[in-house]
Amino acid sequence: MMLIGIDPHKSTHTATAVDPEPNRDLASVRIDVSLDEYQRMLDWARQWPERRWAVENARGLGRHLTSWLLARGEQVVDVPPSATARVRQLSRGAGRKNDRIDAAAAACVAALQGDARPVQPEGSTDALALLDERRSNLAQARVRAVNQLLALLRALLPGGAPRDLSAAKAEQLLESVAPAGPAELTRHALATDLISEVRTCLNGSGAR
């Protein structure tokens, strides 16, 4: 099993392949942080059919790459930065730091010291959480849009509009207004936009 250590940075990632038996650095590649470059790195790694990725700080700077690799069936372990720092201190150079050493250190930690933790791919629970967050965001957006719409209708209609306002009822009320002057015309246009926004929020959240 070949270990491929990843040293992630904001704009670049460095990958180093380490043979765990002799603990030998075999090859290294540096990529920019982009989807095309992720694919280039994966193509490079396929020269070792049996491989595992050891990503330093996989839940931080390496999170996006880690998710991308897991979604493509790759095995990934998370290596804490403190563990790679210990390996660097013990390696030649007495703490000398560069990207290639860091990436190799991550793989060494995963292979030899047992500090790495397997990272599981996202599944149906994660997908449901995303959907739930989306529904919550849409509900909050609808509340904000309805409140803004009610404020506009109070300025356009005598007595305003009822708080339990539907998009259809708001549209009906707005049609009864013949705006005059720039302020009323602007309120009328904004109210029309907000009615469309309320409808979009309702449709997106599955509400009726």
Side-chain angles (χ1 to χ4, degrees):
M1 173 72 72
M2 186 62 64
L3 284 159
I4 303 173
I6 298 290
D7 181 41
H9 291 269
K10 190 171 183 179
S11 58
T12 65
H13 294 336
T14 300
T16 301
V18 175
D19 186 341
E21 290 301 325
N23 191 21
R24 186 162 58 92
D25 178 342
L26 297 181
S28 187
V29 64
R30 183 195 294 265
I31 65 165
D32 294 327
V33 177
S34 71
L35 295 177
D36 287 344
E37 289 284 272
Y38 284 2
Q39 187 60 55
R40 180 170 73 88
M41 184 179 67
L42 181 55
D43 292 341
W44 167 81
R46 282 180 173 139
Q47 62 187 294
W48 301 288
E50 294 187 10
R51 58 187 176 271
R52 180 181 294 121
W53 302 80
V55 181
E56 183 180 25
N57 197 14
R59 303 185 190 282
L61 276 175
R63 181 171 183 173
H64 188 269
L65 175 63
T66 296
S67 297
W68 189 89
L69 289 168
L70 289 169
R72 283 148 187 83
E74 298 291 309
Q75 298 181 48
V76 182
V77 295
D78 177 24
V79 183
S82 58
T84 61
R86 287 200 304 271
V87 170
R88 284 199 307 273
Q89 290 293 333
L90 296 172
S91 68
R92 64 182 182 277
R96 178 167 50 90
K97 187 177 187 301
N98 63 52
D99 290 342
R100 185 171 178 127
I101 289 173
D102 287 349
C108 292
V109 168
L112 303 175
Q113 296 187 2
D115 288 324
R117 298 184 182 90
V119 184
Q120 299 300 322
E122 294 179 310
S124 57
T125 300
D126 301 285
L128 289 172
L130 290 170
L131 291 172
D132 185 62
E133 182 181 10
R134 173 60 174 162
R135 281 193 292 268
S136 177
N137 289 339
L138 285 169
Q140 293 173 19
R142 181 182 181 277
V143 169
R144 287 194 297 269
V146 168
N147 287 338
Q148 293 171 27
L149 180 58
L150 286 169
L152 289 169
L153 291 176
R154 279 197 298 270
L156 289 168
L157 294 164
R163 293 201 62 82
D164 56 341
L165 188 65
S166 67
K169 181 61 177 177
E171 189 172 51
Q172 183 181 5
L173 289 172
L174 198 59
E175 287 175 351
S176 70
V177 176
E184 282 196 358
L185 286 166
T186 299
R187 288 190 182 97
H188 194 278
L190 289 173
T192 300
D193 289 343
L194 284 167
I195 290 170
S196 297
E197 187 176 328
V198 169
R199 281 203 172 100
T200 298
C201 292
L202 286 171
N203 293 335
S205 65
R208 294 289 181 270

